[in-house]
Amino acid sequence: MSTLAITLQAVLLGLGAGLAPGPLLALVMTESLRGGARAGMRVALAPLITDTPIVVATWVLAGSLDAQSPWLALLSLGGALVVGHLAVEQW
C-alpha cells in the first residue's frame, strides 16, 4: 500500500471520527452558543495543535521499531493489559 493511500485512509478515518457526535462536538457546540462562532472554531481547531506532536512522535517512533523488536512486543503487551484492565473495570 502506498504512503498516499495510507495517508488518505487515515484522513478519512479521522474525519469520520471527528464528525461523529461525541464530547468534542458537544464542547464545540456549547462554546459556539456561549461565545459565538469564533470561540467554537478555536475549540474545534484545538486538537490540530495538541494532537499533531503526539501523532508525529508516534509515527516516528513506530516507524523506527523493527517488526520483531522486543520493545514493540512489550508495547503491545502493555496496551493489551490496559485494555484488559478497562474491560474488567466495566464488567
Side-chain angles (χ1 to χ4, degrees):
M1 197 180 258
S2 72
T3 304
L4 179 62
I6 292 171
T7 304
L8 182 62
Q9 186 178 18
V11 167
L12 291 175
L13 285 170
L15 187 61
L19 295 177
L24 181 60
L25 182 60
L27 184 61
V28 169
M29 290 173 61
T30 302
E31 283 300 312
S32 295
L33 292 173
R34 282 187 188 159
R38 191 174 183 97
M41 289 292 262
R42 282 196 304 261
V43 172
L45 295 175
L48 290 176
I49 297 166
T50 58
D51 293 356
T52 301
I54 297 168
V55 170
V56 169
T58 303
W59 198 341
V60 168
L61 235 145
S64 68
L65 291 176
D66 183 25
Q68 301 299 322
S69 170
W71 291 109
L72 189 58
L74 189 63
L75 184 63
S76 297
L77 178 63
L81 290 174
V82 168
V83 170
H85 174 72
L86 292 172
V88 168
E89 279 187 2
Q90 292 302 312
W91 184 267

